[in-house]
Amino acid sequence: MGTIFAFLADRASGQPDRTYIEEHHRSWSYREVFDLATGLAGHLARLGIGEDDRVLLWMDNSAEYIIAYFAVLRAGAIAVPVSPAASGEHLRFILDDVAPKAILTHARSAGRVSGPASERHAVVLPVDEWVKAATAAQRHMPAAAGLPSAEPERVALILYTSGTTRNPKGVMLTHRNLEANTESILAYLPIQPEDSLLVAIPFYYAYGNSLILTQTKAGGTLYLDNRAAFPVKILERLRDGNMSGFSTVGSYLHLLLKQDTVSDLDFAGLKYLTVAGEACSAEDVDRLSALAPGLSIYMMYGQTEAAARLSYLEPPLLPLKRGSIGRAIPGVELRVVNDDGMEVRPGEIGEIIASGPNIMKGYWNNRIETEAAVRDGWLHTGDLATADSEGFLYIKGRKNDIIKYLGHRISPLEVETAINQCEGVLECAVVESEIHQEKQIVAYVVRQDENCDENRIDRTVRKILPPYKRPHAYRFIGSLPRTANGKIKRSELRSSEVHPNYQ
């Protein structure tokens, strides 16, 4: 086992001139990024930043982010990525929790963090300005001499969970965790040095972080595009070619497939597509398969606490195991257990627990939550699922999201899939709520067509779901509340104080 920086160093040595990053019509080679990351690591060392110091990465996806990421790791410090769109409260919580020595950011964002940083004696460094100065001066980047040699068991990364119900938790991932997960992913996902990946998922998200590591380890090219808020633009980028792969989450794939232009897209150049981060409906997978018969679609499942990945479904099995997240990735063991920790029978609902070298070291400054999540070497994911007789898993939802109604346990994902099949529905979220002191199933719907009303949706749902699974009320809203990582904040929808704002 080595360290994550070795991924970059190996490629800079073996294929120095190969394009590593494409962004805004500018290319960066592996050697360029390696030299700049090494130089920035030396600069951080001169600022007094070294082993186990925390450094915030307050940046959007960019070449500068990747340079800063590897620089922090080369300096022996711990990278703490944070969304630059996060609220001031969220930022202050993380600053107080990890007490960083520095905040690496873009010049355009430096003003937003300078105040909180100075209050906590943290240095603010605009990486883009540093890179410009270093490039313009063509200065010789310092060699690795004097920089620490990190150990595999040292923490490399602290990723904060989305915090849908309370303060976020900082997930500590070691170099060993990240390397083990990267090697497991590459054991089933055949990325080659000539491959290129379109990246629209934020790097501060565990899924996005894994994209950096797998592409770097394999020697591929990262095409960065921060226009995820405009699905048509992402489709245009895919249409324009040069992409071997694309990675997305279930809800975003649903949005892409709802665009009018998707049927015009030629997927001929795209070799593979990965879906993780959120559940994806079998219907969306069916449609994508019909649009792109030759595309290898990988359904995957994971958690931040597992360095991103826990299971995958091989593309040839998609039609045979519709709706499945597959089986464990190499080196990982998964079980589905009941509340007593006993494995359930095929078809019974239980919690997914996981064991392997990718499981987190723990939560930063949070021993109680760590002991609750990792017991006897097993990560308790909080995700409910069933397993079939061959061990293929089928997600039913989060423990806290499962709807209990009239003695039934109802997966909100199943109800949402039914609603999403109605013409005119863009996306939706289903929760259990109290209306007039009675438990009811409530659907929050984002419409694509204003003529889509409750009656139309109800007619569709009645054809698919039994009476006890059908929503009692529909609320039409402009957008679903989401965390910084893009996950639906069901807790906010469930809150009776918030409901009036969505009617």
Side-chain angles (χ1 to χ4, degrees):
M1 285 286 180
T3 63
I4 297 307
F5 187 81
F7 292 3
L8 178 59
D10 290 345
R11 287 301 169 182
S13 174
Q15 50 183 56
D17 299 323
R18 176 160 183 81
T19 299
Y20 179 25
I21 303 167
E22 284 275 359
E23 179 192 25
H24 303 314
H25 306 293
R26 176 173 179 185
S27 299
W28 305 72
S29 70
Y30 274 93
R31 170 56 65 179
E32 284 179 286
V33 174
F34 172 82
D35 285 345
L36 286 165
T38 304
L40 182 55
H43 183 68
L44 293 175
R46 290 190 292 276
L47 292 174
I49 296 165
E51 290 185 347
D52 299 331
D53 288 331
R54 279 76 62 200
V55 178
L56 253 66
L57 303 182
W58 175 261
M59 309 171 75
D60 288 316
N61 286 12
S62 57
E64 290 86 3
Y65 179 103
I66 295 174
I67 291 166
Y69 176 81
F70 281 110
V72 170
L73 298 182
R74 184 63 190 90
I78 301 171
V80 187
V82 180
S83 167
S87 67
E89 180 182 3
H90 182 85
L91 173 63
R92 286 189 293 273
F93 172 84
I94 293 175
L95 288 172
D96 290 337
D97 199 36
V98 298
K101 273 199 171 181
I103 300 175
L104 306 188
T105 185
H106 284 108
R108 64 178 179 271
S109 303
R112 288 189 58 203
V113 295
S114 58
S118 63
E119 293 170 4
R120 295 161 178 83
H121 308 290
V123 175
V124 176
L125 176 62
V127 177
D128 50 344
E129 291 186 348
W130 185 91
V131 168
K132 283 180 185 177
T135 304
Q138 296 183 332
R139 66 178 67 155
H140 176 69
M141 297 301 167
L147 293 174
S149 298
E151 299 171 2
E153 298 304 327
R154 282 189 179 276
V155 175
L157 192 65
I158 297 176
L159 287 173
Y160 276 83
T161 56
S162 50
T164 56
T165 58
R166 55 184 179 270
N167 283 331
K169 300 185 290 286
V171 176
M172 294 187 289
L173 298 172
T174 66
H175 288 269
R176 178 173 180 264
N177 293 151
L178 295 167
E179 183 175 16
N181 205 238
T182 301
E183 291 179 345
S184 291
I185 293 170
L186 291 177
Y188 69 80
L189 189 62
I191 303 174
Q192 302 300 319
E194 63 270 17
D195 286 339
S196 54
L197 177 74
L198 178 61
V199 180
I201 293 174
F203 291 147
Y204 51 77
Y205 177 27
Y207 191 1
N209 183 73
S210 75
L211 300 181
I212 296 177
L213 299 183
T214 51
Q215 287 292 314
T216 305
K217 178 79 172 176
T221 300
L222 293 161
Y223 280 78
L224 310 185
D225 196 316
N226 293 333
R227 298 176 296 173
F230 306 96
V232 171
K233 295 296 183 182
I234 298 300
L235 287 175
E236 288 175 356
R237 192 73 187 271
L238 289 171
R239 183 195 62 203
D240 292 341
N242 299 324
M243 307 301 166
S244 306
F246 179 57
S247 296
T248 188
V249 299
S251 62
Y252 197 73
L253 176 61
H254 180 75
L255 287 177
L256 290 176
L257 292 173
K258 286 282 188 176
Q259 303 304 309
D260 294 335
T261 57
V262 71
S263 57
D264 300 327
L265 185 63
D266 181 5
F267 286 97
L270 204 59
K271 291 168 52 178
Y272 71 90
L273 183 142
T274 67
V275 183
E278 293 176 344
C280 180
S281 74
E283 287 75 16
D284 282 344
V285 176
D286 290 344
R287 186 174 182 211
L288 180 59
S289 298
L291 287 170
L295 183 64
S296 293
I297 304 170
Y298 291 82
M299 304 305 298
M300 310 188 303
Y301 160 76
Q303 287 203 327
T304 303
E305 289 86 346
R309 201 60 54 234
L310 287 170
S311 76
Y312 79 103
L313 181 67
E314 299 171 73
L317 296 178
L318 275 175
L320 302 175
K321 300 291 182 180
R322 290 183 76 247
S324 175
I325 57 167
R327 294 184 288 196
I329 63 173
V332 168
E333 184 178 355
L334 298 178
R335 297 177 184 173
V336 181
V337 301
N338 59 23
D339 291 340
D340 296 323
M342 305 297 293
E343 288 194 63
V344 300
R345 292 176 295 184
E348 290 183 348
I349 295 178
E351 181 184 8
I352 299 173
I353 61 173
S355 178
N358 57 323
I359 303 303
M360 68 172 180
K361 185 173 183 177
Y363 295 117
W364 177 263
N365 282 342
N366 203 328
R367 180 179 57 83
I368 293 175
E369 291 280 7
T370 298
E371 292 174 353
V374 183
R375 288 170 263 164
D376 299 322
W378 289 86
L379 171 67
H380 289 248
T381 66
D383 289 319
L384 297 180
T386 61
D388 65 16
S389 59
E390 297 176 279
F392 288 88
L393 302 180
Y394 297 79
I395 291 286
K396 297 302 178 183
R398 294 287 295 169
K399 259 187 169 183
N400 293 337
D401 293 338
I402 288 293
I403 297 169
K404 298 175 183 178
Y405 180 70
L406 298 179
H408 300 283
R409 298 179 72 176
I410 302 168
S411 167
L413 305 179
E414 181 183 2
V415 184
E416 289 162 5
T417 297
I419 295 171
N420 282 334
Q421 292 184 49
C422 179
E423 184 179 355
V425 172
L426 185 61
E427 60 177 344
C428 68
V430 173
V431 298
E432 176 186 306
S433 184
E434 281 203 14
I435 300 177
H436 305 307
Q437 298 182 331
E438 289 185 7
K439 283 190 176 182
Q440 295 195 6
I441 302 172
V442 179
Y444 290 84
V445 180
V446 179
R447 290 181 287 194
Q448 193 173 32
D449 175 5
E450 290 300 317
N451 293 320
C452 178
D453 59 14
E454 183 173 336
N455 291 331
R456 183 195 291 185
I457 299 173
D458 199 50
R459 285 196 298 271
T460 300
V461 170
R462 284 176 178 274
K463 297 175 184 177
I464 303 171
L465 299 176
Y468 69 90
K469 291 185 179 181
R470 298 172 193 161
H472 302 97
Y474 294 91
R475 302 182 188 276
F476 296 103
I477 60 178
S479 62
L480 297 175
R482 296 183 183 274
T483 67
N485 290 344
K487 295 182 180 180
I488 297 170
K489 298 179 74 171
R490 296 180 190 274
S491 60
E492 188 169 311
L493 294 175
R494 280 193 294 263
S495 170
S496 60
E497 291 80 13
V498 177
H499 284 168
N501 296 329
Y502 291 98
Q503 294 182 28

